[in-house]
Amino acid sequence: MQNVAMDVSFWILQCLNALQYAMLLFLLSVGLTVIFGLLNFVNLAHASLYMLGAYLGISLAALTGSFWWALLIAPLLVMGIGAGLYFTLIARLRTAGPMNQVLVTFGLIFVFLDLVRIGWGDIALGLAAPPALSGTLHFLGINYPSYRLFIIGLGGTVMAGMWFILARTQIGAMIRASVENTDMAAALGIDVSRLFFLVFCCGCALAGLAGVAAAPILSATTTMGITILIPTMIVVVIGGLGSLEGAILGSLIIGFIDVFGAVLMPSFSALLTYALLAAVLVWRPHGLIAARG
Amino acid sequence: MLELVGVESGYGETLILHDVHLSVCAGCVHAVLGRNGAGKSTMLKTIIGQLPTRQGVIRFGGRDISNLPPNQRAKLGIAYVPETRDIFGALSVRENLQLAARLAPPNQGRNPKGWNIDEVLDFFPQLAARLNHSGHQLSGGEQQMLAIGRAMMMAPALLILDEPTEGLAPLLIEQILQKLTALKAQDITILLVEQNLHFASALADEISLMGRGQIVWHGTAAALHKDTKAQANWLGV
Ligand SMILES: Nc1ncnc2c1ncn2[C@@H]1O[C@H](COP(=O)(O)OP(=O)(O)OP(=O)(O)O)[C@@H](O)[C@H]1O
Ligand SMILES: [Mg+2]
């Protein structure tokens, strides 16, 4: 009896961990996938913005003395950096073909990496969770850090908000229409470039938000961007490029596979994700929820 | 209302239109006919700005629009029903219509006869039961109706239709013909591309024939009926 109870709470714990990881992946992949869907643009530097979010968040928390200010302002700064990138590089690269886009944004990863090294140094930096969230909550027979629950809630809120905007508002309909058929959207009078820019900025802000939110759990390191880039790309590909539902589904799948894989079959866990990726690509080359027919 | 002077256009390196001249008068229905591959759709795409004007000028209401992006041309009142209809499959029928309506409200200098959703449904009652279905679920005929209704939601000054009868059953073609005749009676300017001579001559005040990327003949439907040589040269299959 004692053992069963132990077991159940162990699995609840793992589920929450998976959910929390999935939410981080979601915050990153949703921006990447919507940007890809709209701009047909692969921004490998998206995860660098996540890293910048974490570092900027740490500095801002030190500056303002409040985690909450950091959580609010860092994404806005990252959005500003994204807007700068858009005007200097990305707008010009839009018609340059995928190979050039990959090369340039791959190069950007190293630029940001070095900038962070210069600005913050090479050692991992921590960020303390805000006092209100630094304890643990006791429920369902487990103790779980309240900050991790906060991340789950934050991801869920962003998910619900994005779903509402995309599914229920005029601007959401404009975005879905432009993802599906850019030319026809423009023929209906939609300023597609402005819409793209807006969406790009929001995607960057979400990457920054993910970075600040992750800092108290994972610490900020110069490799954090590169580490999360691969799973994020996998989420985007298996979910379906350009699809919000795909990003949700993909994040949950990869989050759970990663956490449960590590528990159940530690020696295969790394392989598991790639096997899934290959299987999805064979079975549904456009992803589980394709945005375009 | 719409005027093309010496327009040149194409895809990438390939030039398709050479020195196209066309003039559509306000309140007229102007039909453009021609064989497959003559360049009719290319001309329409150039007019709406999907393809750049390489040479020449496109004037709309006296204004040079050759260098305006497509969305600004739409705002001036050019509505387009493409050959492929291009209904947004991920959007509901209602959303497809509402999207186009964003342009309508100010109505300055535009056709005051733009429709709202109720008027689209009056015109195409078949769509009423489909309002909350997604675009994916429509039949070919329903897509065509929605594409026309969507264009009319923009309160256009000029309605451009690319082969509205293509792929439709004869009964539906007759129905669309009736609907467009009703639109014509409302004094809406229409530029129509067609393969179906009967359909075009029933509707058009003026007809232009296109061949190898140029306008090669221009006149009335009656004149075209008499000119069997032009028919044989530019339409015969
Ligand atoms: N996207 C494209 N890229 C390159 N060439 C194209 C493209 N679309 C059409 N063409 C070529 O341009 C020429 C004119 O095509 P267009 O579609 O304008 O003809 P059309 O008169 O509309 O014919 P149809 O009656 O079959 O619709 C054709 O030779 C066609 O092969
Ligand atoms: Mg055509």
Side-chain angles (χ1 to χ4, degrees):
Chain A
M1 212 51 217
Q2 186 72 34
N3 260 338
V4 176
M6 259 273 305
D7 247 27
V8 172
S9 47
F10 175 77
W11 293 118
I12 293 176
L13 209 72
Q14 296 309 326
C15 280
L16 287 170
N17 282 342
L19 211 53
Q20 178 253 302
Y21 182 48
M23 290 306 173
L24 277 186
L25 285 176
F26 168 74
L27 287 177
L28 271 171
S29 56
V30 71
L32 197 61
T33 199
V34 174
I35 288 168
F36 182 87
L38 272 179
L39 288 85
N40 250 321
F41 186 92
V42 193
N43 183 15
L44 293 180
H46 195 71
S48 300
L49 297 174
Y50 159 81
M51 171 184 69
L52 278 175
Y55 279 99
L56 287 169
I58 287 169
S59 294
L60 280 163
L63 212 67
T64 62
S66 154
F67 170 85
W68 299 110
W69 280 117
L71 191 72
L72 187 73
I73 301 172
L76 294 177
L77 291 181
V78 172
M79 180 162 89
I81 294 168
L85 273 186
Y86 187 89
F87 286 119
T88 49
L89 284 173
I90 287 163
R92 281 176 224 201
L93 276 171
R94 278 195 52 202
T95 50
M99 200 58 208
N100 290 324
Q101 296 173 354
V102 165
L103 283 176
V104 170
T105 55
F106 192 62
L108 274 178
I109 293 179
F110 295 99
V111 172
F112 282 125
L113 195 72
D114 275 337
L115 284 177
V116 165
R117 280 205 177 110
I118 294 165
W120 284 276
D122 235 340
I123 36 165
L125 298 178
L127 175 60
L133 297 174
S134 53
T136 60
L137 278 181
H138 184 78
F139 58 97
L140 296 173
I142 58 167
N143 283 310
Y144 201 72
S146 27
Y147 185 77
R148 284 176 182 255
L149 287 174
F150 165 73
I151 289 192
I152 296 175
L154 181 71
T157 308
V158 170
M159 235 178 232
M162 292 212 39
W163 176 84
F164 179 80
I165 290 172
L166 280 172
R168 288 280 177 271
T169 67
Q170 175 103 76
I171 193 142
M174 287 161 69
I175 293 171
R176 278 181 291 141
S178 306
V179 169
E180 186 177 333
N181 186 337
T182 307
D183 282 338
M184 194 59 221
L188 290 184
I190 294 171
D191 189 340
V192 181
S193 322
R194 213 176 67 194
L195 195 63
F196 287 174
F197 175 64
L198 197 83
V199 169
F200 183 80
C201 287
C202 292
C204 294
L206 286 179
L209 182 71
V212 195
I217 299 180
L218 302 173
S219 303
T221 64
T222 46
T223 52
M224 68 187 289
I226 294 165
T227 314
I228 206 153
L229 177 63
I230 308 272
T232 305
M233 299 288 288
I234 294 176
V235 165
V236 170
V237 172
I238 67 169
L241 291 160
S243 154
L244 171 73
E245 293 94 334
I248 296 174
L249 188 64
S251 305
L252 289 171
I253 293 175
I254 297 300
F256 275 81
I257 288 215
D258 192 87
V259 169
F260 281 83
V263 174
L264 292 174
M265 38 177 101
S267 40
F268 291 107
S269 69
L271 264 178
L272 219 53
T273 319
Y274 293 100
L276 179 81
L277 173 66
V280 168
L281 283 180
V282 169
W283 175 49
R284 289 208 169 176
H286 294 289
L288 293 174
I289 304 178
R292 273 175 272 201
Chain B
M1 151 108 348
L2 176 75
E3 202 181 5
L4 276 68
V5 184
V7 167
E8 210 170 85
S9 164
Y11 305 88
E13 301 281 287
T14 345
L15 215 57
I16 304 290
L17 302 184
H18 314 270
D19 196 30
V20 168
H21 294 262
L22 184 84
S23 171
V24 181
C25 54
C28 298
V29 176
H30 194 124
V32 177
L33 284 78
R35 290 202 180 95
N36 285 327
K40 307 179 296 294
S41 300
T42 305
M43 179 177 76
L44 298 189
K45 286 178 194 162
T46 311
I47 294 171
I48 66 151
Q50 220 174 84
L51 295 173
T53 309
R54 306 243 188 106
Q55 284 285 326
V57 178
I58 301 177
R59 268 192 285 273
F60 180 66
R63 176 172 173 192
D64 182 354
I65 58 165
S66 326
N67 295 315
L68 287 186
N71 63 305
Q72 286 185 29
R73 298 190 202 194
K75 281 182 184 143
L76 291 176
I78 300 180
Y80 172 57
V81 177
E83 207 170 357
T84 42
R85 284 98 192 216
D86 291 15
I87 296 306
F88 299 111
L91 274 62
S92 69
V93 169
R94 188 195 302 276
E95 284 173 325
N96 268 279
L97 292 170
Q98 280 167 344
L99 213 56
R102 288 182 331 115
L103 283 183
N107 233 338
Q108 292 137 343
R110 302 266 295 276
N111 189 339
K113 298 182 187 97
W115 298 347
N116 57 37
I117 290 191
D118 289 336
E119 286 164 305
V120 173
L121 299 183
D122 282 349
F123 212 71
F124 297 118
Q126 239 175 298
L127 290 179
R130 298 298 222 155
L131 264 189
N132 296 317
H133 290 86
S134 81
H136 286 305
Q137 296 168 296
L138 300 187
S139 69
E142 287 168 338
Q143 285 186 21
Q144 189 62 62
M145 292 173 197
L146 177 56
I148 296 173
R150 183 174 66 180
M152 285 305 294
M153 294 283 287
M154 293 165 69
L158 170 68
L159 178 61
I160 296 180
L161 301 160
D162 197 348
E163 304 203 27
T165 63
E166 196 186 8
L168 298 188
L171 208 66
L172 264 173
I173 295 185
E174 215 46 50
Q175 203 186 339
I176 299 272
L177 180 59
Q178 276 172 25
K179 296 300 182 188
L180 292 182
T181 312
L183 274 188
K184 180 184 171 177
Q186 295 181 10
D187 267 345
I188 288 165
T189 309
I190 297 178
L191 174 58
L192 168 76
V193 158
E194 255 305 328
Q195 298 262 16
N196 183 331
L197 178 59
H198 158 71
F199 187 93
S201 33
L203 212 57
D205 302 300
E206 286 184 78
I207 293 185
S208 293
L209 301 188
M210 180 166 246
R212 298 197 203 97
Q214 283 190 308
I215 299 294
V216 289
W217 187 95
H218 173 246
T220 62
L224 181 60
H225 274 287
K226 283 188 209 125
D227 194 340
T228 47
K229 196 171 151 233
Q231 284 193 38
N233 276 348
W234 306 111
L235 298 178
V237 272

